[in-house]
């Protein structure tokens, strides 16, 4: 990492901590968010390091600025995330400021199910109203507790006797379960003489969705609904918690209790219902209940924390792994699977690769597991190792690994999961082999029997762990590994764990009796105070950030951010790529827009900077540019030295640390002046999330054998959208097209770029096409960024008929490679009829038709799916069409969002089938391939080939 990158990292971390503590720090917070993104981006670019997640114990209170979001599941102990502490009031002895009050958040995604007990130093404390009210016993008259379940809207914590300084009815913490403790310190110091106890609550926390209790799910019965968290119930089933986290937890109500449209995600992965294989989670839930496996504990969500890792933590509680297959989230379960198919050498296409045994360095025969134990103050403790004696004998030495089950609170369950881990890791494989299309319907997680004696595999049950389909040939390549035996399953599920000795827990009264006197807790550390002092100049910063759909007033105040809710580990820069949601609350700014200030227009996804009294568009302020500009602004405020240049030509630096953002065609480079030269910091590609998406990449024009254009072929409209940040741009787009080859609308390549009217979606009229077809290129220009896409317009002509009686012997053949796409309005035949040139049967009088088609969704920038269907028909020339057998269903086409790149990708569908009919010999026939899809809301485009052969 360069020196400048390290400096920005330090500034970012300091600003993130200090921003909430500085009056008027809203703008500082926005800049801090941008700086943090920059530092992370530079680190990845230079060191290729993965950002770490949250660390720390889950049974201790966490305190700090920009804390991660806590998410408590099952029945467990939570100390909480402290969001308030202050002192005030006077005790009976006349001591002022004798009442300390704290508010701690237990979990987001409320309301929770119930509070069970309040613990002080892990000893239950009784209160007048159960778990809240005034304490009884040792803490009577000196301790008070109050709980909030996290409803939305919620009622703010209040006080019983002593007011809460700097706290009011507006601090509702809606959607967050929390508790408030008040401590009265007596004059003699008898209570709390050993210090403030470690407080916490045991309860049954967040609620989950159970498809088995949803009457709209096949086989389900009940009121649960996937899209309504208000219908959910508490459970400690890990599979259901994995499903809820994969879906994400949302704010579904406004502060006044009305429905929030659309709901706002606060944590979790964010998979839509169509992208989750619910049947896998139902099977996993049944498996967990059968094995007595539960889930309890806490995970954290927020910037820098991997949601995929959190999902894996949930899945670990029931011995499963999450996988993405065919655009859907699925589960790889540890459970006996039925064999769904038999694979032999006749199914294999090409070579077969098999690793018969894992390398010695990867093999383990013992697992040292850790789990969370209620008997041990809810700490993570180490159980007795699980060792498989057979594996130990095979290896000749002890080879162990340590595994922590963060959400497991039962020793026997942890031991069973450890044994399952050993067994799964011991299976042989991978086996990689390419198979014929008949096997493409089988997906990861499903099992089959492999009988290939040539490879030493005799009726071996194996599980699919990976799958790839070649859309051109239909060949499916499987990656497989062996399935555990029944005996191995029985061994894993029969483990009994051994816990370490239980520690002795001393009561708060005993602690107080052995303490000399009360030690008050300190406030901010000297280091934090020094940081605040060093950055006090940010309060009067010269760079402001405005977020508004309308132009901020110049010299008359604007709109500034007062509160930000970050989602999916992003910051304000997510506005540029549109992959995540940024919620904000706005208020009238106290400052005026001045030279150099930055403005983001959310309606246009547009960055501008105030230059010379005008707001100038700055496309380079996107993902990396904006962060670096914000970083430069912070550094300039700190030391008054940094300057940023935005130009294609090399600028003259003013000093070390200056930044130069260069727009170089489709790529941008970010450089820093090191004193003698511009040092490359980062290089990024074209603007994220922007692409021209035609409704179809091929618009075939069908003609007769003599070249006459058939009815309905012309005129037609070529449609396209500029998809930016996951949505179509509706205005401000400049469209052009040019002819690459052939003749289109009377134009050739010599005409160059031709303008098309309209500022949103493209609607290009196709009126004439040359006899040999044409190839054109579409171009969209938006915010100084250019995107293009090719479109092919082939001519599909009928062959000359033979006149009804050809020569005896062999018949003729025909084929096509261009297909009309389906429309989004119909799932019936008629929109994609693809005629083949006339063919003649031979002396046998047979007609064979074959299709090898790949289907894709058109114009999709969301999660979607559709299934292609095909039907061959034939007729004598000019006669009545007859079906050549039943229609054929292909494999499903799916569009899904890639979690790593935040872009939408497709798993294409494949439609491969043949039909043969016996007709009159030596006769000419017309044939056609009719195509449709299963959806009334999606359209499909097709590539590949279809042919007919007479014999």
């Amino acid at each position: 990492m360069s020196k400048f990158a390290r400096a920005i990292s330090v500034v970012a971390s300091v600003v993130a901590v200090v921003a909430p503590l500085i009056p008027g720090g809203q703008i500082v917070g926005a800049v801090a968010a941008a700086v943090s993104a920059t530092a992370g981006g530079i680190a990845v670019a230079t060191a290729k390091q993965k950002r770490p997640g949250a660390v720390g114990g889950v049974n201790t209170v966490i305190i700090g600025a920009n804390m991660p979001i806590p998410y408590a599941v099952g029945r467990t102990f939570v100390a909480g995330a402290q969001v308030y502490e202050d002192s005030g009031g006077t005790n009976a002895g006349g001591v002022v400021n004798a009442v300390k009050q704290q508010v701690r958040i237990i979990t987001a995604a409320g309301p929770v199910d119930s509070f069970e007990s309040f613990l002080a130093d892990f000893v239950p404390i009784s209160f007048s109203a159960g778990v809240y009210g005034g304490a009884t016993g040792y803490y009577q008259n000196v301790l008070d507790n109050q709980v909030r379940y996290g409803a939305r809207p919620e009622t703010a914590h209040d006080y019983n006797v002593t007011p809460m300084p700097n706290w009011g009815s507006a601090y509702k913490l809606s959607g967050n379960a929390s508790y408030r403790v008040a401590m009265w310190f007596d004059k003699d110091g008898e209570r709390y003489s050993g210090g403030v106890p470690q407080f916490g609550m045991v309860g049954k926390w967040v609620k989950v969705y159970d498809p088995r209790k949803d009457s709209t799910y096949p086989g389900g019965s009940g009121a649960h609904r996937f899209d309504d968290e208000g219908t959910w119930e508490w459970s400690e089933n890990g599979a259901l918690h994995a499903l809820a986290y994969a879906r994400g937890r949302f704010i579904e109500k406004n502060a006044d209790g009305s429905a929030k449209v659309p709901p706002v995600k606060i944590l979790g992965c964010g998979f839509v219902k169509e992208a989750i294989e619910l049947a896998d989670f139902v099977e996993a839930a049944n498996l967990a209940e059968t094995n007595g496996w539960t889930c309890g504990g806490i995970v954290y969500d927020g910037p820098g924390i991997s949601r995929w890792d959190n999902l894996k933590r949930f899945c670990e509680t029931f011995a499963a792994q999450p996988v993405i297959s065919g655009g859907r989230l699925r589960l790889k379960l540890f459970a006996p699977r039925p064999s769904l198919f038999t694979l032999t050498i006749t199914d294999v296409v090409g070579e077969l690769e098999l690793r018969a045994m894992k390398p010695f360095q990867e093999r383990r025969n013992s697992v040292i597991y850790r789990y969370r134990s209620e008997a041990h103050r809810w700490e993570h403790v180490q159980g007795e190792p699980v060792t498989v004696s057979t594996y130990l004998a095979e290896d000749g030495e002890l080879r162990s690994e340590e595994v922590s089950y963060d959400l497991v609170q039962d020793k026997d369950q942890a031991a069973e999961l450890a044994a399952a881990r050993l067994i799964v890791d011991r299976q042989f494989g991978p086996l990689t082999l390419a198979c014929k299309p008949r096997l493409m319907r089988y997906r990861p997680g499903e099992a089959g029997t492999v009988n290939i004696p040539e490879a030493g595999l005799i009726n071996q049950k194996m599980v699919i762990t990976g799958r790839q389909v070649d859309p051109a040939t239909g060949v499916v390549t499987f990656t497989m590994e062996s399935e555990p035996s029944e005996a191995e399953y029985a061994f894993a599920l029969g483990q009994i764990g051994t816990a370490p000795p239980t520690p002795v827990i001393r009561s708060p009264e005993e602690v107080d009796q052995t303490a000399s006197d009360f030690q008050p807790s300190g406030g901010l550390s000297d280091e934090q105070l020094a940081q605040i002092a060093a950055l006090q100049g940010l309060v009067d910063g010269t760079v402001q950030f405005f977020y508004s759909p309308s132009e901020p007033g110049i010299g008359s105040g604007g709109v500034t951010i007062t509160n930000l809710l970050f989602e999916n580990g992003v910051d304000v820069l997510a506005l540029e790529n549109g992959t995540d949601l940024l919620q904000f609350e706005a208020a009238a700014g106290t400052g005026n827009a001045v030279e150099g200030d930055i403005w983001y227009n959310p309606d246009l996804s547009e960055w501008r900077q105030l230059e010379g009294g005008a707001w100038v568009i700055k496309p380079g302020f996107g993902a990396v540019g904006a962060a670096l500009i914000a970083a430069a602004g912070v550094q300039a405020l700190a030391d008054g030295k940094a300057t940023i240049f935005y130009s294609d030509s090399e600028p003259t630096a003013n000093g070390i640390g200056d930044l130069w953002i260069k727009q170089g065609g489709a790529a941008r480079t970010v450089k820093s002046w090191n004193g003698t030269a511009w040092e490359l910091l980062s290089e990024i590609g074209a603007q994220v999330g922007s692409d021209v998406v035609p409704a179809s990449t091929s618009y075939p024009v069908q003609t007769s054998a003599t070249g006459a254009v058939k009815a309905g072929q012309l005129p037609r409209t070529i449609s396209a959208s500029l998809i930016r940040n996951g949505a179509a741009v509706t205005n401000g787009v400049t469209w052009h097209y040019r002819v690459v080859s052939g003749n289109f609308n009377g134009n050739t390549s010599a005409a160059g770029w031709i303008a098309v009217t309209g500022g949103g979606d493209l609607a290009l009229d196709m009126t004439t096409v040359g006899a040999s077809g044409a190839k054109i290129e579409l171009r969209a220009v938006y915010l100084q960024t250019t995107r293009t896409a090719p479109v092919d317009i082939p001519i599909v002509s009928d062959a000359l008929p033979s006149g009804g009686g050809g020569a005896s012997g062999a018949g003729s053949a025909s084929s096509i490679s261009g297909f009309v796409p389906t429309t989004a309005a119909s799932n019936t035949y008629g929109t994609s009829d693809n005629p083949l040139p006339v063919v003649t049967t031979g002396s046998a009088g047979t007609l064979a038709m074959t299709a090898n088609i790949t289907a894709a969704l058109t114009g999709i920038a969301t999660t979607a799916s559709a299934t292609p269907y095909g039907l061959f028909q034939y007729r004598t020339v000019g006669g009545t069409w007859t079906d050549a057998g039943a229609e054929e269903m292909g494999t499903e086409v799916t569009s899904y969002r890639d979690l790593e790149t935040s872009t939408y990708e497709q798993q294409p569908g494949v439609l491969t089938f043949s039909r043969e009919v016996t007709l009159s010999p030596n006769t000419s026939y017309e044939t056609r391939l009719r195509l449709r899809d299963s959806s009334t809301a999606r359209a499909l485009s097709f590539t590949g080939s279809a042919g007919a052969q007479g014999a």
Side-chain angles (χ1 to χ4, degrees), residues 37 89 123 162 223 253 273 285 335 398 463 577 659 663 677 691 716 817 892 898:
V123 175
T162 302
K253 294 182 180 180
K273 186 177 183 180
L398 184 67
V463 180
N577 59 38
L659 293 179
Q663 178 81 36
D691 204 2
R716 283 157 63 191
S817 58
E892 187 178 56
D898 188 286

Side-chain angles (χ1 to χ4, degrees), residues 210-505:
D210 189 344
R212 300 169 300 178
K213 296 181 179 181
D214 183 349
S215 57
T216 65
Y217 177 80
S221 176
H224 281 219
R225 296 294 183 268
F226 183 88
D227 294 322
D228 186 357
E229 295 187 18
T231 64
W232 298 6
E233 298 174 292
W234 177 85
S235 173
E236 53 186 346
N237 189 308
L240 301 182
H241 281 289
L243 174 58
Y245 190 82
R247 168 196 180 266
R249 305 309 298 263
F250 291 77
I251 298 175
E252 298 179 332
K253 294 182 180 180
N254 293 307
D256 60 2
S258 61
K260 190 172 187 66
V261 180
V264 176
K265 185 167 74 69
I266 55 174
L267 58 85
C269 299
F271 286 93
V272 297
K273 186 177 183 180
E274 293 77 12
I276 302 175
E277 194 68 40
L278 291 179
D280 286 5
F281 287 88
V282 170
E283 180 183 357
N286 292 332
L287 177 69
E289 290 177 357
T290 300
N291 294 333
W293 291 343
T294 60
C295 175
I298 189 168
V299 297
Y300 294 98
D301 201 294
I305 299 173
S306 169
R307 289 164 180 80
W308 187 253
D309 285 348
N310 277 343
L311 182 59
K312 289 193 289 186
R313 289 185 178 97
F314 285 111
C315 292
E316 281 180 343
T317 66
F318 52 97
Q321 298 176 21
V323 295
I324 300 294
S325 173
R328 280 188 170 90
L329 175 65
R330 305 199 65 185
L331 296 176
K332 179 184 175 184
L333 300 174
F334 182 76
R337 302 168 179 82
S339 177
L340 301 180
F341 60 91
T342 299
L343 193 157
T344 66
I345 192 64
T346 60
D347 294 306
V348 179
V349 179
E351 296 183 353
L352 176 152
E353 298 181 9
L354 172 63
R355 187 170 73 173
M357 182 178 292
K358 285 185 169 60
F360 181 75
Q361 61 269 25
E362 295 182 16
R363 283 148 49 188
R364 301 289 182 268
N365 49 49
S366 181
V367 169
I368 303 170
Y369 62 89
R370 295 173 62 84
Y371 69 102
R372 198 173 185 216
S373 172
E374 180 176 359
H376 296 79
R377 295 191 174 198
W378 300 91
E379 289 281 3
H380 283 90
V381 298
Q382 181 176 300
E384 288 293 323
V386 174
T387 304
V388 181
S389 57
T390 303
Y391 299 164
L392 178 60
E394 291 174 354
D395 297 339
E397 66 180 34
L398 184 67
R399 300 185 62 81
S400 62
E401 67 172 340
E402 294 188 11
V403 178
S404 179
Y405 295 107
D406 298 334
L407 300 177
V408 174
Q409 300 178 153
D410 177 79
K411 59 181 178 58
D412 292 344
Q413 178 182 348
E416 291 171 347
L417 296 173
R421 184 185 185 94
L422 281 174
I423 291 170
V424 170
D425 289 346
R426 203 72 174 196
Q427 300 307 304
F428 70 80
L431 166 66
T432 304
L433 69 173
C435 302
K436 294 179 179 178
R438 81 169 186 88
L439 296 170
M440 71 172 61
R441 72 188 66 182
Y442 302 107
R443 300 178 180 275
E446 297 175 338
T449 301
V450 180
N451 189 22
I452 307 178
E454 296 87 343
L457 300 172
I458 301 176
N459 294 326
Q460 173 66 51
K461 186 191 286 189
M462 303 197 73
V463 180
I464 301 172
T465 59
R467 168 183 175 272
Q468 278 189 319
V469 176
D470 185 341
T473 63
V475 171
V476 56
T477 301
F478 286 136
T479 303
M480 311 176 78
E481 66 179 26
S482 60
E483 161 85 346
S485 66
E486 296 292 337
E488 288 175 314
Y489 281 119
F491 170 81
L493 300 179
Q495 292 296 311
I496 298 176
T498 302
T502 303
V504 176
I505 299 178

Side-chain angles (χ1 to χ4, degrees), residues 746-764:
N747 299 308
T748 64
S749 59
W753 289 104
I754 301 170
V756 183
T757 58
D761 290 342
L762 170 71
L764 173 60

Side-chain angles (χ1 to χ4, degrees), residues 504-788:
V504 176
I505 299 178
R506 301 172 62 198
S507 70
E509 183 177 358
E510 293 174 317
V511 173
D512 287 344
Q513 291 173 351
T514 58
S516 58
D517 56 3
F518 168 69
Q519 299 293 328
S521 60
L524 294 173
S525 67
D526 291 341
E527 180 181 2
Q528 289 174 316
L529 293 173
Q531 292 171 348
I532 293 175
L535 295 171
Q536 187 62 41
L538 288 172
V539 178
D540 302 316
T542 58
V543 175
Q544 298 183 91
F545 178 78
F546 294 81
Y547 181 100
S548 172
S550 57
E551 180 176 315
I554 299 175
S556 59
V559 176
T560 61
I561 292 177
T562 60
N563 185 44
L564 289 174
L565 173 63
F566 297 120
E567 185 172 291
N568 290 349
V570 301
D571 47 40
V572 69
L573 297 179
L575 296 166
E576 178 61 21
N577 59 38
T579 60
D580 300 285
L581 174 67
L582 171 71
Q583 184 187 16
F584 73 98
E585 297 175 4
T590 56
N592 299 324
V594 297
E595 195 77 359
D597 283 354
I598 298 170
W599 164 39
Y600 180 83
N601 186 328
D603 287 355
L604 300 178
S605 300
E606 187 177 81
W607 292 88
R608 292 175 181 260
Q609 189 173 31
L610 190 59
E611 292 181 355
W615 290 105
V616 180
I617 292 178
K618 294 290 186 178
F621 280 29
V624 171
L628 290 173
I629 288 171
V634 171
Q635 186 160 352
L637 294 176
D639 56 26
K641 297 179 181 179
T643 304
I644 187 164
F645 301 91
Y646 184 90
S647 65
D648 290 337
S649 58
E650 181 175 315
T652 301
N654 293 328
I656 296 176
D658 285 356
L659 293 179
W660 170 30
I661 300 178
K662 177 181 180 181
Q663 178 81 36
R668 289 195 295 271
T669 57
V670 183
K671 298 183 178 182
S672 173
W673 182 255
N674 61 15
T676 58
W678 289 104
E679 177 185 359
L680 181 65
L681 292 182
S682 177
E683 184 175 74
I684 59 176
Q687 198 165 6
V688 176
S690 177
D691 204 2
V692 171
V693 180
S696 176
T697 58
S698 179
Y699 286 81
V701 177
Q702 300 178 8
T703 68
S704 67
T706 60
V709 177
K710 293 186 177 182
Q713 294 297 295
L714 294 175
R716 283 157 63 191
T717 300
I718 296 175
S719 303
S721 300
L722 178 64
I723 303 299
R724 189 171 185 269
N725 302 341
V729 179
T730 58
N731 57 71
V733 184
T734 302
W735 287 98
H736 294 80
Y737 78 91
R738 68 176 178 179
V739 180
V740 178
S741 63
N743 189 297
F744 177 81
N745 287 354
N747 299 308
T748 64
S749 59
W753 289 104
I754 301 170
V756 183
T757 58
D761 290 342
L762 170 71
L764 173 60
D765 292 333
M766 177 171 61
T767 57
T768 62
V769 180
S772 59
K775 293 182 183 294
I776 66 173
E777 185 177 20
L778 308 179
R779 182 178 74 179
V781 179
Y782 181 70
L783 295 183
Q784 304 178 17
T785 301
T786 301
R787 296 289 182 267
T788 61

Side-chain angles (χ1 to χ4, degrees), residues 116-127 130 136 139 200 202 374 505 507-508:
E116 180 180 306
S117 60
F118 178 96
L119 305 184
D121 285 340
F122 300 97
V123 175
I125 304 298
S126 298
F127 292 86
T136 61
Y139 283 116
V202 177
E374 180 176 359
I505 299 178
S507 70

